[in-house]
DNA sequence: TCCTTTAGGTACTTTTTGGTGCCTACAGCA
DNA sequence: TGCTGTAGGCACCAAAAAGTACCTAAAGGA
C-alpha cells in the first residue's frame, strides 16, 4: 500500500517515462499495429516498445487485439479508460509544438512531418 | 539542431522526468522557498531538487528569486511562460486523483493530506 | 569562539532504464 | 526444402538517472 504525496505521482506511475506519452500520442489517432508503431517511433527498440505496451495494457490504458493468423497480427488501441487521457495527451502535444515555435521560430525544420502534427 | 518525431517529445524534454511535474504542481499554488519544497516533497534529495530547479529555470519555466540576506533565502515561482503549463499540470493532478479512486476506491489512505489535494 | 541556519556545490556509488544480439513459432510460397 | 514476414521472449551489457556523504559561505546569537 503505497502512499502518494501528491496525486500527480499516481499519474506519472501510469504514463511517466520516456516512451509512454509518445506511444499514447500516436494511439489517440486510432489503433495501430506493432510494426506501425515501430515505424512511427523510429528510435524505439522492439524491447522497449513491447515492454511499455505491456505496462500500459496492465494498467488498463490500452487494449491489445490479437488476430489469430500467421504471420501474427496484433493491434493496440486506447481503451475506454485510456480515452480519459486523450485531452491531456493532446494538450501535451500542442504545448510541445508551441514550445518548438517559441524556441526556434518555426516547426518546419525541427518536427517530422506527419498527420499528427498540424 | 535536434529533430523531434512528435511534438510531445519537446514537452517531455522540458517537464519530463520523475520530479519536475511534482515540483511544478506545487508551484502552481504560489511561490515557495527551497526548504518548503523540500518539506512538500519528502523523498527528494537536495541534489535532485536543485538540479531540477536549475533545469526548469534554464528552460524559462520558473523564476528564481534570491534575497540577499544571511542565512540565504531563495524563492521559486512559475514564470509567465510556466503559467502556460498550469492547466496541463492541474489536469495531471486531477487524473491522478481519479486514478487512485478507481484503483483503491478512495484517496484517504493513499494520498497525503495537503492544500493541494481537494 | 563556535554553533545554528539556509541554500547549494561536488565526488562517488547504486539503481534504474535502455540497447544489442540472438532465438522462436508457423503459414505460405518458390 | 528452405526462405519470408510478424510479434516478441531472453540474456547480457551500457548508459543515464538518482542517491549518499560530505563540503562551503556568512550573519547572528549564546
Amino acid at each position: 500500500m503505497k502512499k502518494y504525496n501528491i496525486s500527480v505521482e499516481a499519474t506519472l506511475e501510469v504514463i511517466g517515462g520516456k516512451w509512454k506519452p509518445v506511444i499514447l500520442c500516436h494511439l489517440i489517432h486510432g489503433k495501430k499495429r506493432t510494426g506501425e508503431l515501430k515505424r512511427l517511433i523510429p528510435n524505439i527498440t522492439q524491447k522497449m516498445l513491447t515492454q511499455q505496451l505491456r505496462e500500459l495494457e496492465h494498467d488498463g490504458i490500452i487494449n491489445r487485439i490479437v488476430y489469430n493468423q500467421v504471420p501474427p497480427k496484433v493491434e493496440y488501441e486506447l481503451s475506454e479508460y485510456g480515452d480519459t487521457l486523450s485531452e491531456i495527451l493532446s494538450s501535451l502535444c500542442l504545448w510541445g509544438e508551441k514550445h518548438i515555435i517559441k524556441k526556434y521560430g518555426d516547426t518546419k525544420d525541427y518536427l517530422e512531418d506527419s498527420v499528427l502534427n498540424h
Side-chain angles (χ1 to χ4, degrees), chain A residues 44-109:
Chain A
I44 203 169
T45 58
Q46 165 83 27
K47 181 191 143 188
M48 277 300 110
L49 180 59
T50 50
Q51 184 180 305
Q52 304 300 302
L53 288 169
R54 290 290 166 283
E55 292 178 16
L56 289 169
E57 190 195 1
H58 174 263
D59 287 324
I61 306 298
I62 63 174
N63 296 322
R64 181 165 181 262
I65 307 156
V66 182
Y67 297 83
N68 252 336
Q69 58 186 56
V70 169
K73 177 178 176 183
V74 176
E75 287 181 328
Y76 294 93
E77 63 177 10
L78 281 190
S79 67
E80 214 177 303
Y81 188 49
D83 273 332
T84 63
L85 283 165
S86 58
E87 224 178 278
I88 289 176
L89 293 166
S90 301
S91 304
L92 288 172
C93 282
L94 198 61
W95 193 90
E97 267 185 68
K98 286 187 193 149
H99 182 66
I100 294 171
I101 292 168
K102 176 183 190 269
K103 208 167 154 191
Y104 301 110
D106 196 352
T107 65
K108 300 221 174 5
D109 297 331

Side-chain angles (χ1 to χ4, degrees), chain A residues 25-29 32 40 93 97 113-118:
Chain A
C25 282
H26 284 293
L27 292 183
I28 51 183
H29 301 284
K32 300 268 179 294
L40 288 166
C93 282
E97 267 185 68
D113 294 328
S114 101
V115 257
L116 305 173
N117 318 304
H118 37 250

